[in-house]
């Protein structure tokens, strides 16, 4: 290594450059994740990854950054806020005929944006230090990003398994550079969840099966984004109007009162996705879906899963003839998987329609019985 480089000074510069490039915070840690190996294996052994084959494929390499990028000895971990102004969470979650799209997915896909900035950060470091080698990652590598960020002092892994920062909550993405120079490392953040279990309690599908352990197969984020097959019937009613991702465990987290808004215009909502009716989105055909979701993370789930998710949300909406008509119309030219979800939604509306009629009938019957009784002789 080049002894003329003052790594302490360089580490300070890196943090400053990171902020100039739009990162809310940058920290540095070593690559040792051995303490996570056993738990990661247990998570995989329990099949908590469901159909996410890429999780099982890389196995314990996720806890071994050097296996992904040989020669790495440090990780530069960075976080970027994504919450747009006026997030309108509660408002939309309370309106069952509106679509709830997770707040991270309202605007431009973060992967490209963050990777580009991380590459710019890497290039700046390279200009300063010739022997510097790096590889930027944002979700793109099988690597435990949250434990690394915790070790780099960016926050702690909360009971919902997401990284929480004491001054910024959890509404941020993570990304990192694996690097080959001996930068000084930061102090890992302390866990401050305490006795709070609000996220475990609020989760609509009870996906947080124990503190710090998420069974992805139950998580609405997995069901709406990662799963390519039919959504298990027993979980559908619990999904409400959430058609892409879920924010509930973060919404309830008391640390998110310190949540910070994004500085990136690119994360601003597109296509009014922060406040749009389910029927408007259900009316999109495949061409509209592809053009309207250009550059958005939503595009990667594809039109079929998009329709599947909206069909479930429509099934969860209160009875409405226009919803029933839209479901029936779409049924004519949908794939078998979407048809199955549409049929489920129609069944829900049949049940709701009956429930609306039955109470009226019961009331009428009761009135009828009362009037008959009144007109009847005492000994009848
Ligand atoms: C796969 C994945 C998912 C899956 C699985 C979630 C999960 N918890 O693993 C699904 C699709 C469900 C998902 C959902 C979401 N995700 Co996601 N996801 C990932 C991804 C690609 C990999 C995560 C991973 O490695 N999981 C494997 C498991 C084993 O990891 P783990 O949960 O940390 O495992 C530990 C615990 O299980 C614990 N453990 C296990 N057993 C036991 C037992 C005991 C006693 C204890 C104490 C601990 C313990 O030890 C394990 C090892 O450390 C990361 C990016 C990355 N490369 O890290 C993004 C990432 C974690 N996701 C992210 C986001 C934003 C989300 C959502 C909020 C999106 C949304 N709004 O819908 C939700 C949140 C749901 C939730 N509560 O987790 C962000 C999180 C940012 C942050 N602030 O932390 C990341 C980092 C992406 C990014 N680059 O920004 N995600
Ligand atoms: S994202 Fe939603 S479904 Fe997934 S663990 Fe959090 S609250 Fe539960």
């Amino acid at each position: 290594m080049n002894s003329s480089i003052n790594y302490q000074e360089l580490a300070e510069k890196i943090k400053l450059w990171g902020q100039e490039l739009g990162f809310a915070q940058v920290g540095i840690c070593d690559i040792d994740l051995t303490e996570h190996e056993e738990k990661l294996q247990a998570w995989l052994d329990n099949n908590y990854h469901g159909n996410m084959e890429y999780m099982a494929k890389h196995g314990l390499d996720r806890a071994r950054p050097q296996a992904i990028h040989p020669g790495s000895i440090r990780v530069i971990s960075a976080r970027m806020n994504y919450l747009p102004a006026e997030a309108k969470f509660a408002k939309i979650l309370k309106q069952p005929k509106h679509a709830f799209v997770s707040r991270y997915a309202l605007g431009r896909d973060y992967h490209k944006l963050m990777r580009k900035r991380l590459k710019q950060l890497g290039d700046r470091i390279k200009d300063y230090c010739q022997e510097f080698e790096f590889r930027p990652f944002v979700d793109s590598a099988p690597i435990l990003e949250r434990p690394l960020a915790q070790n780099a002092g960016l926050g702690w892994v909360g009971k919902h398994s997401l990284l929480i920062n004491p001054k910024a909550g959890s509404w941020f993405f993570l990304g990192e550079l694996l690097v080959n120079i001996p930068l000084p490392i930061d102090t890992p953040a302390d866990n401050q969840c305490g006795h709070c279990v609000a996220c475990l309690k609020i989760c609509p599908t009870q996906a947080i099966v124990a503190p710090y352990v998420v069974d992805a197969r139950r998580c609405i984020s997995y069901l709406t984004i990662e799963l390519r097959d039919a959504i298990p019937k027993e979980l559908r009613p619990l999904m409400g109007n959430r058609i892409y991702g879920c924010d509930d465990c973060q919404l309830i987290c008391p640390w998110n009162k310190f949540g910070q808004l994004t500085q990136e215009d690119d994360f601003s909502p597109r296509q009014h996705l922060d406040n749009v009716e389910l029927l408007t989105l259900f009316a999109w055909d495949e061409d509209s879906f592809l053009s309207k979701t250009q550059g958005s993370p939503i595009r990667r789930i594809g039109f079929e899963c998009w329709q599947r998710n909206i069909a479930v949300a429509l099934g969860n909406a209160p009875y409405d003839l226009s919803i029933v008509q839209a479901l029936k119309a779409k049924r004519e030219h949908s794939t078998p998987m979407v048809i199955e979800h549409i049929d489920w939604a129609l069944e829900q509306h049949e049940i709701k329609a009956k429930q609306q009629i039955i109470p009226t009938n019961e009331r009428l019957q009761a009135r009828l019985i009362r009037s008959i009784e009144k007109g009847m002789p005492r000994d009848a």
Side-chain angles (χ1 to χ4, degrees), residues 36 39-40 42-43 52 54-55 62 82 102 104 110 138-139 141 143-147 157 160-163 170 172-175 208 211-214 216 219 221-222 225-226 245-247 249-250:
H36 293 274
K39 289 172 197 155
L40 169 61
W43 193 81
M52 293 184 289
Y54 62 92
M55 294 299 298
R62 243 164 222 282
Y82 61 73
S102 183
Y104 88 87
Y110 66 98
V138 183
D139 272 3
I143 189 172
L144 290 174
E145 294 191 298
R146 294 162 292 176
V157 177
H160 47 20
S161 88
L162 301 166
L163 200 82
S170 62
F172 50 77
F173 301 120
L174 296 173
I208 311 174
Y212 311 102
V213 186
V214 172
C219 176
S221 188
Y222 167 84
I225 303 173
E226 300 292 335
C246 171
D247 287 334
C249 53
Q250 298 190 84

Side-chain angles (χ1 to χ4, degrees), residues 92 99-101 103 105-107 243 269-276 281 284 292-293 296 298 306:
I92 303 299
F100 184 83
V101 173
R103 271 31 199 161
L106 294 173
I243 62 159
R270 296 175 171 187
Q271 308 295 341
H272 309 290
L273 284 173
D274 57 336
N275 192 1
V276 64
L281 300 179
W284 290 1
K292 288 177 194 282
T293 59
S296 144
I298 294 175
W306 174 248

Side-chain angles (χ1 to χ4, degrees), residues 41-87:
Q41 193 56 56
W43 193 81
L44 290 169
D45 291 345
N46 277 318
N47 278 325
Y48 287 157
H49 59 291
N51 289 356
M52 293 184 289
E53 297 301 339
Y54 62 92
M55 294 299 298
K57 193 171 133 202
H58 299 282
L60 289 180
D61 277 357
R62 243 164 222 282
R64 296 170 185 165
Q66 68 279 23
I68 293 154
H69 190 49
S72 307
I73 55 171
R74 293 284 184 272
V75 179
I76 300 175
S77 175
R79 60 177 189 84
M80 184 180 273
N81 297 323
Y82 61 73
L83 198 63
E86 293 178 50

